[in-house]
Amino acid sequence: MEGTSLISWMAWTWQTAAFFAFIITCLVAMTVWEVRSPGGAHRHGILGLETTRGDRLFISLLGSAFIFLAWLGIFGMPLWAPLIIALVYAFIIFRWA
């Protein structure tokens, strides 16, 4: 594999970098939040599950991925509408789940 990068097979665009930076920022923010306010009391919310802050972050990120994939499959580009839907979804998960 002369002359090729080990990651040249992946399309690293600024959007891809922004996505990974957002995920890393979320993880760092959750870590700081946990250090400053340990415990993150368990809640039994609208999902019928007992969740912590980390659980709610995971559920919101996973749900957001499905929102974007469904939008792409049905409507295609642009992705501003699913971004708004995903942010509202994440707010609902963190508030009531």
Side-chain angles (χ1 to χ4, degrees), residues 16-89:
T16 306
F19 171 75
F20 283 106
F22 175 75
I23 299 298
I24 291 168
T25 303
C26 285
L27 293 173
V28 169
M30 292 296 287
T31 301
V32 169
W33 190 3
E34 185 64 27
V35 167
R36 297 194 85 211
S37 176
H42 294 251
R43 285 197 279 179
H44 191 79
I46 59 175
L47 296 176
L49 304 169
E50 188 173 302
T51 60
T52 63
R53 290 180 200 140
D55 298 333
R56 291 187 288 276
L57 175 64
F58 179 76
I59 291 167
S60 64
L61 290 174
L62 189 62
S64 296
F66 284 116
I67 290 168
F68 275 93
L69 288 174
W71 187 274
L72 281 170
I74 296 169
F75 302 108
M77 301 292 273
L79 298 176
W80 293 110
L83 175 62
I84 293 168
I85 295 167
L87 290 173
V88 170
Y89 171 75

